[in-house]
Amino acid sequence: MATLAYEVRRRDPELVGPASETPQETKSMSDLDSMDVMRSQASTALFYRGGEGEDGADPAGVIRRALGEALVHYYPLAGRLREIEGRKLVVDCTGEGVLFVEADADVKLADLEAAGLRPPFPCMDQLLFDVEGSNGILNCPLLLVQVTRLLCGGFVLALRCNHAMCDAIGIAQFINAVSELARGLPTITVKPVWCRELILTRDPVVPRPSVPRTKPNVLPPPMVERSFTFRASDVVAMKKSLPLPLCDTATSFEILAAFLWRARTTALDISPGDIAPLVIGVNFRGDARLSLPVGYYGNAVTTSTVLADAAVLRSGSLGEAVALVRQGKAVGATEHFRSMANGTEVRGSRTFNPANLFAVSDTRNIGFHRMDFGWGEPVFAGPITTFFPMCYFIRVKDRDGEDAYVMPLMLPQPQPAMDRFAAEVKRSLLEDAKHM
């Protein structure tokens, strides 16, 4: 991304509570919500072209009003988390509110687009300012929202959510409710459902994330971040290169995950005989054995791990890697639905260097890209950054209006690792294009 610097002027942060009275009570969190892996913050940004809203409305004011109205339905988000016996989390529904920041930036959306409008974003720490005392897990606001007006009339909605409260699908459900109320709908279309008691990890049908065994005391090196964009036509070309029946049945997720997994393994020059694991996020909302109701907004994602020898992965075909990804998805949907009463599942007995691990999370169908607050759909909507070893799949439109997917990822410094990855992506795309 090209270098771009600009100034952001923020008003003092304020707490926005529910717009009307809500129950004062304590609610239990699910076992999955309480896991250490969920005790983190997740950040998302939506960039809008903007323009004149209805009656010249200000986006910050509209979103602030709608936020308070949505919190009436999602009142636990206006509360605070605390820990009880056994490190179990509960949320005290106090109605204290979520943090809201209104700001103005000396930059146009066109400037951001010229710089790439892809993670990592320039000055993102100003578009989502880390308000002092706001980023804890316990006894802190559960949501931070910042609306920043741009010089051109566009604006940026950036938010940070306590992951213990919601996964990406859950927070998207809440923000969509805010967008509906911002547009003037009389009520929200999807009613929130709590039901956290349905996810108890000692229940035989509830999945827990699979955790591959890593070598101890291996410190991660410094990282460099970059985003890569794949057009829908690129995925079509990759699919045509696959053997039967995969060329007819492989999904875009399976193809892209396999493609990136192989390219990353090559770029890191992982030694033959070493394991290059792939961790896949698996949403289990649709599994009939749990019967999670529509509107459930807690954490409902587990992981599945696929282990492959680096040399086999690099020398094998894209089709073979796609088959491994498909196998991993199936494992995530079936094998994990069994008793985990003795703790977190560990798949496989071989250990590996954690620097070799690659994780993928598909956010393309969560719905952020369709959220309209009254100024149209966003030109970009998705995670603001990634972390090692995660790669997000983000839905966008390219400059020609064609469907495309942005994949931000981090690789260890020095830069040659990222340069090798970029070269491998370019080489593979050119090779696949021959099949068009």
Side-chain angles (χ1 to χ4, degrees):
M1 173 173 284
T3 301
L4 177 66
Y6 51 90
E7 182 180 350
V8 177
R9 297 175 302 283
R10 293 176 302 276
R11 296 187 182 181
D12 290 339
E14 58 178 315
L15 286 171
V16 175
S20 59
E21 188 174 349
T22 56
Q24 303 285 300
E25 60 187 359
T26 296
K27 287 182 171 289
S28 296
M29 306 287 283
S30 77
D31 287 354
L32 191 57
D33 297 331
S34 296
M35 291 177 65
D36 285 343
V37 71
M38 300 303 179
R39 300 188 186 205
S40 61
Q41 303 284 348
S43 300
T44 300
L46 300 89
F47 293 76
Y48 290 87
R49 206 166 297 283
E52 287 295 323
E54 185 176 350
D55 299 324
D58 167 42
V62 169
I63 291 172
R64 185 195 182 285
R65 170 191 59 78
L67 188 60
E69 294 174 359
L71 285 171
V72 175
H73 304 275
Y74 289 83
Y75 64 89
L77 286 174
R80 301 293 183 266
L81 285 179
R82 63 182 169 92
E83 200 174 62
I84 59 175
E85 184 179 357
R87 302 193 71 238
K88 174 81 172 178
L89 292 179
V90 296
V91 58
D92 292 322
C93 302
T94 60
E96 291 175 76
V98 302
L99 272 172
F100 182 82
V101 178
E102 183 177 344
D104 293 276
D106 293 333
V107 69
K108 298 177 181 179
L109 182 63
D111 300 326
L112 295 169
E113 289 180 306
L117 204 58
R118 304 283 188 267
F121 299 99
C123 304
M124 193 65 225
D125 60 340
Q126 298 302 306
L127 295 176
L128 184 59
F129 185 70
D130 185 14
V131 177
E132 184 177 356
S134 69
N135 62 1
I137 301 301
L138 305 177
N139 197 32
C140 282
L142 299 173
L143 188 65
L144 168 65
V145 178
Q146 180 172 329
V147 178
T148 305
R149 292 176 290 260
L150 307 178
L151 290 175
C152 56
F155 64 94
V156 181
L157 169 63
L159 59 106
R160 187 183 69 199
C161 181
N162 189 321
H163 203 325
M165 287 296 294
C166 309
D167 58 16
I169 294 174
I171 192 60
Q173 179 181 308
F174 171 69
I175 297 301
N176 188 61
V178 176
S179 75
E180 291 175 335
L181 295 169
R183 296 198 310 273
L185 271 66
T187 189
I188 59 178
T189 56
V190 178
K191 303 296 183 182
V193 176
W194 189 256
C195 292
R196 305 287 171 113
E197 71 280 358
L198 293 177
I199 299 185
L200 301 174
T201 56
R202 292 179 182 272
D203 189 295
V205 300
V206 174
R208 293 185 61 133
S210 69
V211 180
R213 296 171 57 191
T214 60
K215 295 178 181 177
N217 302 321
V218 180
L219 296 177
M223 298 288 164
V224 58
E225 181 179 2
R226 179 173 168 182
S227 283
F228 293 84
T229 302
F230 296 86
R231 298 168 300 172
S233 56
D234 294 328
V235 179
V236 170
M238 293 181 207
K239 189 170 184 177
K240 287 186 175 180
S241 73
L242 301 177
L244 287 170
L246 289 176
C247 63
D248 294 327
T249 61
T251 67
S252 58
F253 171 80
E254 292 166 347
I255 294 168
L256 287 167
F259 181 91
L260 294 170
W261 187 22
R262 293 175 73 229
R264 184 181 182 276
T265 302
T266 300
L268 292 178
D269 197 23
I270 301 174
S271 300
D274 282 1
I275 295 298
L278 175 69
V279 175
I280 303 169
V282 180
N283 170 31
F284 57 82
R285 276 175 171 77
D287 194 285
R289 286 165 288 188
L290 281 177
S291 299
L292 291 181
V294 173
Y296 185 86
Y297 64 105
N299 287 286
V301 174
T302 187
T303 58
S304 177
T305 303
V306 184
L307 304 180
D309 185 286
V312 173
L313 190 63
R314 292 171 63 176
S315 63
S317 67
L318 176 62
E320 290 167 332
V322 167
L324 287 173
V325 173
R326 176 167 289 188
Q327 171 192 338
K329 287 170 59 182
V331 167
T334 56
E335 182 179 321
H336 292 302
F337 282 89
R338 55 188 175 86
S339 177
M340 301 297 173
N342 294 322
T344 302
E345 179 191 9
V346 176
R347 295 187 67 236
S349 59
R350 299 178 66 178
T351 60
F352 61 89
N353 186 331
N356 297 349
L357 179 68
F358 185 42
V360 290
S361 179
D362 191 358
T363 71
R364 294 172 302 158
N365 298 315
I366 288 175
F368 281 119
H369 64 290
R370 294 191 299 267
M371 290 185 186
D372 179 2
F373 293 85
W375 287 266
E377 294 183 350
V379 294
F380 176 91
I384 65 172
T385 187
T386 187
F387 59 91
F388 186 83
M390 177 61 71
C391 176
Y392 294 107
F393 291 15
I394 305 170
R395 183 188 298 272
V396 298
K397 295 283 188 182
D398 66 13
R399 294 174 188 265
D400 299 323
E402 182 186 354
D403 286 338
Y405 314 114
V406 168
M407 319 297 201
L409 77 162
M410 287 186 175
L411 289 178
Q413 297 266 32
Q415 183 68 31
M418 188 63 80
D419 291 341
R420 287 195 298 268
F421 181 85
E424 181 65 17
V425 168
K426 183 178 181 180
R427 182 197 65 78
S428 297
L429 286 177
L430 289 172
E431 183 175 307
D432 292 330
K434 297 175 183 177
H435 296 272
M436 290 294 286

